[in-house]
Amino acid sequence: MGRWSRHLEALTQAISGMGASSADQSEDDTAVQDLPEDEAGAADEDTPAGEALAEASEDAAQISSLEQALIQGMEVTLGDLDQTEHGWMYRGHPVMMFAVDVAAVEDQQVRREFFHRVHLASCCGALEDPAQVVWIGTAREALAAPGLEKAPHACEYCLAKVNHRGYRSLGPRDRSRVAAGFSFHWHVNQYAQEFFPGESPHFWAPGKLPQQLDMIDSGEADQGTCGVCEWPVPADHGWFIPVERGAALGLAIDSCILCAQQQAMGVLTLPEEQALAASQARCEALRKGTAVAEADSGEETERDWTRVRRQLPLSWHPLCEQLERKLSAPVLFHRFTGYEGVAVLAWPEHRRGIVATDEERNRLPEGWDFWTMRSVLGSLG
């Protein structure tokens, strides 16, 4: 199979209307339950129960201290961190690196400039030595470390390495814009499934302990209308978040999990299969309503990238952002008569589409060109 980039060029030439504008776009802290006074008095520190309670209190205090320390920054060595494809983790927290003082650099100006960079990846040999002392943090606007003379700026080599917002394909002016507007929260959100893998949703925010969110309890509402997109969320899928649960995520109204992911005051990860299933169900439900409105008005709704991004989970946004610069908007969740598979993004007029997995591609008709989302992103860099 040829690389996507070759087909992208042909598709770019074939599709009209190219060059769409680029997109700019619970607090459930760990707690130790207080014992009633009579029980607390009985739990003497010399007893096993007292020792356990003291250890639990100390652990909770250490956890809280770690979360708060990471907001501004703390000193560690590279060997203390776990590296992912798009960043680093420290004790379960996504972190960015800054205030790296490389003593081997003799040029003091270069050394000072490197010290004032925010790093997302191992962009040079200095960031591959496990013994290298570095500072790490989770909230860019609050970063602080001894010797910092001004707010650290995003490292352009790191942005290129992880291809942040399609950085590699941008011109100088757009690169400067992306670097100046760098958001660590956005970065973690786009690659949340990489930082928090698993089959359950997770929620994380700077200063918070990463939490695995339980599915909706049987006593809570599991269906309702999303207050953001107005989708009547069906029952029995865990796709509805009532405001009582959403408050822990910073939500003020009932929400579907897709809108919650985009509106949450932090990073809400969704398992890919669950997120795509919810996205497809919502898209098809809203499409029916649109079809009725179009029939009444006699006007067809134009395809546009804003609607595409709004409908898809955040994990698809890096791909959409790169394609938007070159292609007109696709059809979402395109079905084929007599086939079970679905193309998440499709250009029917050119018989080309992008699917979620290789398995899905095998369920689609011949005569089309299909690529997986991961292969397209890899080909584009």
Side-chain angles (χ1 to χ4, degrees):
M1 181 185 72
R3 290 174 61 82
W4 162 264
S5 54
R6 177 166 56 84
H7 294 281
L8 177 63
E9 182 179 357
L11 187 56
T12 301
Q13 294 173 353
I15 293 179
S16 59
M18 290 164 238
S21 59
S22 299
D24 291 333
Q25 292 207 21
S26 103
E27 186 171 351
D28 281 349
D29 292 340
T30 302
V32 178
Q33 185 175 359
D34 294 331
L35 290 172
E37 290 186 4
D38 55 338
E39 293 183 29
D44 188 272
E45 290 188 1
D46 295 332
T47 67
E51 292 176 358
L53 181 60
E55 290 177 1
S57 299
E58 184 177 351
D59 290 344
Q62 289 177 348
I63 290 173
S64 176
S65 177
L66 172 65
E67 324 302 288
Q68 294 304 311
L70 283 173
I71 290 180
Q72 288 191 312
M74 60 183 295
E75 189 179 62
V76 298
T77 64
L78 270 173
D80 296 325
L81 307 179
D82 297 315
Q83 188 162 11
T84 70
E85 184 179 353
H86 291 91
W88 285 285
M89 298 285 289
Y90 180 72
R91 298 188 182 182
H93 294 268
V95 293
M96 58 193 131
M97 189 182 299
F98 69 106
V100 182
D101 187 19
V102 185
V105 177
E106 296 181 357
D107 188 317
Q108 293 302 307
Q109 183 175 352
V110 172
R111 183 173 172 179
R112 183 167 55 254
E113 200 280 334
F114 192 79
F115 187 80
H116 285 81
R117 290 175 176 243
V118 171
H119 298 279
L120 297 174
S122 297
C123 62
C124 62
L127 299 183
E128 295 176 354
D129 179 7
Q132 174 67 52
V133 175
V134 300
W135 280 73
I136 57 173
T138 55
R140 185 189 175 193
E141 67 281 358
L143 297 181
L148 274 183
E149 301 168 353
K150 56 185 178 180
H153 62 275
C155 172
E156 65 269 24
Y157 300 109
C158 289
L159 297 179
K161 184 168 184 177
V162 303
N163 204 21
H164 181 76
R165 308 202 77 155
Y167 189 84
R168 294 177 200 166
S169 64
L170 299 178
R173 181 178 299 177
D174 283 334
R175 285 190 171 194
S176 297
R177 176 183 55 81
V178 168
F182 168 71
S183 166
F184 185 62
H185 176 271
W186 186 96
H187 179 74
V188 176
N189 236 330
Q190 308 310 296
Y191 303 103
Q193 198 61 33
E194 177 184 314
F195 289 107
F196 303 103
E199 296 302 317
S200 298
H202 287 75
F203 180 72
W204 172 83
K208 305 290 184 184
L209 183 70
Q211 306 170 59
Q212 178 175 311
L213 300 183
D214 296 327
M215 298 305 289
I216 296 174
D217 297 332
S218 58
E220 296 184 35
D222 68 346
Q223 64 178 337
T225 299
C226 175
V228 181
C229 67
E230 300 183 350
W231 173 35
V233 185
D236 302 326
H237 296 288
W239 295 342
F240 181 68
I241 301 179
V243 66
E244 294 79 11
R245 265 187 89 214
L249 310 179
L251 304 176
I253 56 177
D254 294 342
S255 177
C256 66
I257 59 170
L258 299 166
C259 288
Q261 188 182 46
Q262 299 195 28
Q263 301 290 327
M265 301 297 289
V267 176
L268 175 61
T269 71
L270 299 174
E272 187 67 20
E273 186 175 341
Q274 180 188 12
L276 267 182
S279 181
Q280 182 177 342
R282 180 177 69 172
C283 183
E284 292 177 349
L286 297 179
R287 185 179 292 157
K288 291 178 181 177
T290 302
V292 173
E294 289 176 353
D296 292 340
S297 65
E299 298 180 358
E300 184 177 351
T301 302
E302 293 184 6
R303 288 149 48 177
D304 70 82
W305 279 106
T306 300
R307 184 178 295 107
V308 169
R309 290 194 309 275
R310 190 180 300 131
Q311 292 292 337
L312 289 177
L314 289 179
S315 58
W316 282 74
H317 285 204
L319 174 62
C320 291
E321 188 163 34
Q322 293 201 53
L323 295 183
E324 182 178 1
R325 300 186 184 113
K326 300 178 177 9
L327 306 176
S328 60
V331 174
L332 277 172
F333 299 105
H334 187 66
R335 290 186 174 275
F336 301 83
T337 304
Y339 293 86
E340 295 181 357
V342 174
V344 179
L345 304 178
W347 291 265
E349 61 274 28
H350 303 289
R351 305 178 74 82
R352 291 184 171 101
I354 299 176
V355 297
T357 63
D358 284 318
E359 292 75 13
E360 193 72 11
R361 182 169 52 192
N362 295 332
R363 302 164 61 196
L364 294 170
E366 297 180 356
W368 276 60
D369 292 319
F370 294 108
W371 300 267
T372 65
M373 184 259 278
R374 300 298 175 193
S375 69
V376 176
L377 267 179
S379 183
L380 292 174

